[in-house]
Amino acid sequence: MKKPEKPRRLAADRRYAAPSAAAPPSGGGLPPQQAQRRASAAPPRKPRRGNFVTRGVTGAVSLTWRLIWGSFWRTGATLALILGLTVAYYYSTLPDPQALFDGRARGSVTMLDRDGRVFAWRGETYNTVSADRIAPVLRNAVVATEDKRFFSHLGIDPRGIASAVNINMAEGRGPLEGNGGSTITQQVSKLLCLGEEFDPIKWKSEAEYEADCRKSSLWRKIKEVPYSLAMEAKYSKADILNIYMNRSYLGAGARGFEAAAQRYFGKSAAEVNAAEAAMLAGLLKAPSYFSPTSNLQRSQDRAAVILGLMHDQGYLDDAQFAEAKANPAVLSRAAAARAGGYFADWVMESGPGFLTSETTEDVTITTTFDQTVQRQAERALKRIFDEKVKEGSKAQAAVVVMSADGAVRAMIGGRDTAGAGTFNRATQAKRQTGSAFKPFVFAAALDQGYSPNDTILDAPITIHIKGSKPWTPKNYTRRHMGEITLTKALSQSINTSTIRLQEAVGRDNVRRVAQDFGFAHDITASPSMGLGVAETTLLEMTGAYAGIRNGGTAVRPYGLVELRIKGDDKPLIGQVGGMGQRVISPKAASELIWMMQQVVENGTGGRAKLPGREVAGKTGTTSSYRDAWFIGFTEQYVTGVWMGYDDNTPLQGVTGGGLPAEIWQAVMAEIHEGLPPQPLGVIAPDAAGNMIVASDIVSADSDDPLAAALAEAVAAAQPVDGRETDVIQPGDATGMPIDAPAIVATSPDGAADPLAAALAEAMGESAPAPEPARLVEPAPSAPPPAPVPAPVPVRSGPIGADPAPPPAPRTEGSTVSSSGEDAPPAPSPVEAAVAEAVAPADLPADDALNDALSQALQGIPALN
């Protein structure tokens, strides 16, 4: 049987032949139809490209990218979680905003003058200002200057930071050096030191603490972010701005804008205008550099820049901007005058530190300071230097003005020159006094019984000092006048006579008098002591002269009257200083004042004359002209002037009777303007060295012959200084009533005393012409009835190296005979006449004399 032939396969059949049975189904066991659909849906496999190397690099890059992208969101999520937790922590630690307004570790000291007006501040003053009280223009000035997007950001301003970094890099600084791009919120976080409070153990001072808190670093910038976000979350924008405006330091010890407005403009921060607001806002950049009390023009220039920013940002319209530019801010009177700078520093040093420089409380100090006197003294000093001293001179001067009780009214510690600094030459500079020391020598002599009319030799003198070469003082003129009175020796500032007198009364006595009057520093008891080789300050010397002025009672200069904690009714400290112990008798003090008047009237202090006013004082010039002094007083004020160089360079042609006397005269003329002239209370000696004091003088037509004679004699008497009368100060040695003026007739030329002659004529006697007194060797005589030691006499020849022992203290009221005898002095014609007139009175001798004078001379008005 023939097999059937197989059909012939076409080429198309071979191309699309069914898969062999051995091949597994492409559908993985699925039905053919499903497997076919799946096979058709699978994308065709791309053929591999490149070699092994390129495929390896491509794979590595792909893997790295997948790792970075995979970890980026995880890292971001982690950082966001950390930031959120940190913000939450800071949020929980932030107190109420009001608790952050006052961040001071120190308190403030506010000083009031004698009239209760504020004139100076020390420490850090602070006054709270809230959003509802601050002037809107001040708030706008701060925002325009520091953070113009303050009200729109969330505490961090990336645009501001990027701009600041760009500016710093363009100017060659590091990215975080210079402009920081910080928002106001970030600056508040710095002010709060990121919540870390001041620790005196970790930081030595508050300044060091603040400096550490404000250091810029990357880590601190990072820490500022969560703290700022926490503040933005907890506080309103107004709260954050309030904290900023209350804690910011604005120079001159002012903390916060309220304190600064009071300090610079004398008004509240709620009352400032646009120009003042711009000046205050300008201080935020560099408070000390732009402080208006340091350089007003520089501060005004900075304020002009702030006004421009406010105008550009729409806070000021064209008219407001033009007005503010045309009328820049100026300081208040107290701030402009910077009154009491040296005085305030001295008061701070004189008080206890825990209540002044180191106080943690706000303290108010009432002082003796007089702002008017201070300005007048500064004006007078500047005028003299402008007129008398060449421009650019580095010569310095200091001035102290006080009352006779030691209350300091004004103080100039130095001229305001380049490099002058804050060194107070009135209280800190210890300088030799020169001849300004001589009144203490004469005070010691007068207190022992010497008279202004006693004579002393002006001639060469040599003192031999053990272990050293002989010392021979020289007069300024290199000339000698022979026998002269003590008054002339002082008025002409004769060195040889002063040394002779010093050796006569004893150096220890002179030193005691000087120290008791307030010359507090060590005084070496060397022969040259009387010429002012010891050092002291102008304040102490002026205080010593105030002791002479008030009748021989020492004073301690003082400026603090009362110190109290702010808000307390009772003061913690009262007056520190004032009247002290008596040093010399009132009689000796009065005689010394009269002698010091002659220094101005007829001696070396002629340039200090004040027309129409009585003046007493003394010049002083040290060796090599390194220091020049003039210290003197009127009835109202005691003023001291010092002039010299800080480096002890000799002054050229300047003595105490020159520029210092002129400065003194200018200062005193200014501060006495408008004050009534008042006479100094003094006793002037008559030709015999006797003192006549009466409570009143009766008229010449009195029925009492003694009173009439006294009145007529006084009318004819001619005082030695050309004035009509000399008036004794209350409480003198004669025991007269406190408010009773005394009239003394004097005759320095040795002629017969008119008063004595008139008294003698009234009593039926003739008055012999007295002889001027002279210091001579005492002759032996019978012992006196009372133990009154005589002073050691002055010898005309050279004094040996071993001075005679000082005399024993003189009893009050005793006198020294000018006749050279140890016996009590014979009564003068006046005393004899009065004694006879009152002989029947059963009174002690002194009381009888005073009673008789008071009754005999009652009724005639005192001559002025």
Side-chain angles (χ1 to χ4, degrees):
M1 176 179 222
K2 188 179 180 180
K3 294 181 180 178
E5 295 182 359
K6 294 181 180 179
R8 188 177 179 178
R9 297 180 66 185
L10 298 177
D13 294 334
R14 291 195 298 270
R15 182 179 301 163
Y16 300 104
S20 60
S26 59
L30 295 176
Q33 293 179 351
Q34 292 183 9
Q36 186 175 2
R37 285 196 300 270
R38 173 173 293 184
S40 61
R45 181 177 296 178
K46 294 182 179 180
R48 293 181 177 180
R49 296 181 181 179
N51 55 29
F52 174 79
V53 176
T54 56
R55 289 198 303 271
V57 172
T58 303
V61 171
S62 176
L63 177 63
T64 302
W65 171 250
R66 286 197 296 270
L67 290 175
I68 293 175
W69 178 254
S71 61
F72 177 79
W73 68 269
R74 295 184 179 88
T75 302
T78 302
L79 293 176
L81 179 62
I82 293 174
L83 178 62
L85 292 175
T86 306
V87 170
Y89 168 76
Y90 283 137
Y91 183 94
S92 65
T93 61
L94 289 173
D96 291 337
Q98 289 79 8
L100 300 176
F101 285 176
D102 187 359
R104 299 170 302 155
R106 297 187 341 171
S108 65
V109 178
T110 302
M111 296 191 188
L112 309 178
D113 65 9
R114 63 185 302 187
D115 297 321
R117 298 174 299 174
V118 176
F119 74 90
W121 301 267
R122 291 296 183 270
E124 292 185 355
T125 53
Y126 167 79
N127 297 95
T128 304
V129 60
S130 57
D132 58 343
R133 291 184 61 245
I134 193 171
V137 68
L138 179 56
R139 182 182 63 246
N140 295 337
V142 172
V143 172
T145 305
E146 297 297 310
D147 187 4
K148 63 182 180 182
R149 286 184 288 274
F150 171 70
F151 292 102
S152 60
H153 61 63
L154 297 178
I156 306 297
D157 186 6
R159 289 173 56 188
I161 296 174
S163 176
V165 170
N166 184 44
I167 293 174
N168 294 335
M169 298 292 287
E171 295 182 358
R173 299 190 296 263
L176 299 178
E177 297 177 358
N179 293 294
S182 298
T183 64
I184 288 179
T185 310
Q186 287 177 283
Q187 292 182 56
V188 170
S189 70
K190 287 182 180 180
L191 292 174
L192 300 177
C193 204
L194 302 177
E196 186 175 7
E197 296 183 355
F198 173 69
D199 184 355
I201 299 177
K202 184 176 180 180
W203 291 282
K204 296 180 180 179
S205 64
E206 185 184 7
E208 183 179 334
Y209 159 74
E210 291 184 349
D212 185 54
C213 292
R214 293 172 183 174
K215 287 181 180 177
S216 293
S217 64
L218 180 60
W219 177 240
R220 188 172 292 276
K221 285 287 185 182
I222 292 173
K223 291 171 67 177
E224 286 177 6
V225 172
Y227 199 89
S228 299
L229 293 175
M231 284 193 297
E232 290 280 352
K234 187 162 187 175
Y235 303 144
S236 66
K237 289 289 186 179
D239 290 337
I240 295 173
L241 193 60
N242 278 344
I243 297 172
Y244 183 62
M245 300 190 73
N246 280 284
R247 292 186 71 115
S248 296
Y249 181 71
L250 298 172
R255 179 74 65 174
F257 280 83
E258 176 68 13
Q262 295 285 357
R263 177 71 58 92
Y264 298 126
F265 308 125
K267 61 175 68 174
S268 170
E271 301 170 349
V272 296
N273 57 34
E276 293 165 343
M279 182 174 287
L280 292 175
L283 296 173
L284 291 166
K285 183 175 183 180
S288 299
Y289 182 78
F290 289 112
S291 172
T293 55
S294 175
N295 189 315
L296 180 59
Q297 184 60 51
R298 185 162 55 205
S299 184
Q300 289 176 338
D301 293 341
R302 172 67 178 165
V305 175
I306 307 304
L307 289 172
L309 292 175
M310 296 175 68
H311 179 253
D312 294 341
Q313 296 176 32
Y315 292 117
L316 294 177
D317 58 30
D318 293 342
Q320 293 171 330
F321 174 67
E323 181 181 0
K325 286 273 288 185
N327 300 282
V330 294
L331 297 171
S332 65
R333 173 182 288 186
R338 291 184 291 178
Y342 289 109
F343 179 91
D345 292 340
W346 170 61
V347 170
M348 290 286 287
E349 294 170 0
S350 62
F354 68 92
L355 288 175
T356 54
S357 59
E358 300 173 3
T359 180
T360 58
E361 302 285 346
D362 290 331
V363 174
T364 300
I365 298 178
T366 303
T367 71
T368 61
F369 188 70
D370 191 315
Q371 295 192 59
T372 301
V373 173
Q374 178 72 26
R375 287 192 295 270
Q376 290 170 334
E378 290 175 347
R379 185 165 58 243
L381 177 64
K382 183 178 184 302
R383 184 175 73 250
I384 294 298
F385 266 83
D386 289 345
E387 296 174 355
K388 304 288 185 178
V389 181
K390 64 181 180 181
E391 187 177 356
S393 172
K394 295 182 179 180
Q396 277 293 342
V399 180
V400 172
V401 181
M402 67 175 63
S403 300
D405 66 345
V408 178
R409 303 303 182 190
M411 179 181 292
I412 302 175
R415 295 174 57 222
D416 187 12
T417 60
T422 58
F423 180 69
N424 192 337
R425 295 155 189 85
T427 63
Q428 296 175 302
K430 298 178 182 179
R431 311 295 290 237
Q432 290 185 343
T433 60
S435 295
F437 184 88
K438 289 178 180 177
F440 304 133
V441 178
F442 288 83
L446 294 170
D447 197 48
Q448 291 184 19
Y450 286 82
S451 166
N453 283 342
D454 286 343
T455 60
I456 192 168
L457 183 62
D458 172 21
I461 180 175
T462 299
I463 297 180
H464 299 278
I465 306 173
K466 288 182 179 180
S468 181
K469 295 181 179 180
W471 179 66
T472 303
K474 305 290 185 182
N475 289 336
Y476 176 75
T477 60
R478 298 299 192 270
R479 297 192 301 268
H480 301 281
M481 295 180 285
E483 292 286 348
I484 57 175
T485 63
L486 297 188
T487 301
K488 190 166 188 178
L490 181 62
S491 66
Q492 300 298 323
S493 198
I494 305 299
N495 291 340
T496 59
S497 298
T498 301
I499 296 303
R500 277 191 168 85
L501 186 61
Q502 170 189 272
E503 299 303 299
V505 301
R507 298 175 200 165
D508 288 340
N509 286 333
V510 173
R511 179 170 58 180
R512 176 190 59 80
V513 167
Q515 289 179 332
D516 288 351
F517 267 128
F519 198 110
H521 298 290
D522 293 336
I523 305 176
T524 303
S526 64
S528 59
M529 173 181 61
L531 302 185
V533 296
E535 295 180 341
T536 190
T537 65
L538 175 62
L539 179 66
E540 289 175 346
M541 279 295 287
T542 309
Y545 274 54
I548 298 172
R549 157 66 188 84
N550 66 27
T553 299
V555 301
R556 179 183 174 189
Y558 69 98
L560 189 152
V561 175
E562 185 180 273
L563 183 150
R564 67 178 66 206
I565 300 296
K566 189 175 182 180
D568 288 357
D569 295 332
K570 296 182 178 180
L572 294 180
I573 297 178
Q575 177 178 316
V576 180
M579 303 291 286
Q581 298 296 319
R582 176 163 295 284
V583 180
I584 60 176
S585 68
K587 174 178 177 293
S590 184
E591 291 173 336
L592 181 58
I593 293 173
W594 180 82
M595 294 170 67
M596 293 172 69
Q597 283 184 273
Q598 310 315 305
V599 174
V600 178
E601 293 295 328
N602 307 302
T604 59
R607 296 189 184 183
K609 291 180 180 178
L610 291 173
R613 295 185 187 274
E614 295 183 3
V615 172
K618 184 67 184 76
T619 59
T621 308
T622 61
S623 60
S624 302
Y625 303 97
R626 289 185 173 90
D627 303 276
W629 305 70
F630 188 89
I631 307 174
F633 46 82
T634 62
E635 181 68 15
Q636 287 95 339
Y637 292 107
V638 184
T639 298
V641 175
W642 167 87
M643 185 175 175
Y645 286 96
D646 289 337
D647 59 0
N648 278 325
T649 299
L651 295 162
Q652 296 182 359
V654 177
T655 63
L659 277 178
E662 293 187 38
I663 294 171
W664 188 94
Q665 195 276 343
V667 170
M668 293 293 264
E670 284 268 5
I671 66 179
H672 280 83
E673 186 175 353
L675 297 179
Q678 296 181 3
L680 285 167
V682 299
I683 299 177
D686 64 6
N690 301 309
M691 300 298 158
I692 298 300
V693 182
S695 58
D696 292 298
I697 301 297
V698 298
S699 61
D701 57 357
S702 171
D703 293 334
D704 185 357
L706 177 58
L710 283 171
E712 183 178 358
V714 169
Q718 297 297 323
V720 296
D721 58 358
R723 301 188 315 276
E724 293 182 358
T725 179
D726 294 308
V727 182
I728 186 170
Q729 186 66 2
D732 61 79
T734 64
M736 297 307 297
I738 289 180
D739 59 349
I743 305 302
V744 181
T746 63
S747 182
D749 57 0
D753 183 26
L755 178 56
L759 280 172
E761 183 178 356
M763 302 303 299
E765 300 177 359
S766 60
E771 296 181 0
R774 176 181 176 186
L775 295 177
V776 297
E777 294 283 357
S781 61
V788 181
V792 176
V794 175
R795 294 177 291 185
S796 59
I799 298 177
D802 297 323
R810 182 179 61 84
T811 59
E812 186 174 356
S814 63
T815 59
V816 177
S817 172
S818 60
S819 64
E821 298 179 354
D822 291 336
S828 68
V830 176
E831 292 170 334
V834 174
E836 183 175 349
V838 300
D842 186 18
L843 294 172
D846 290 343
D847 294 340
L849 175 61
N850 289 332
D851 252 16
L853 282 172
S854 298
Q855 293 175 9
L857 307 181
Q858 189 174 14
I860 290 183
L863 300 178
N864 295 323

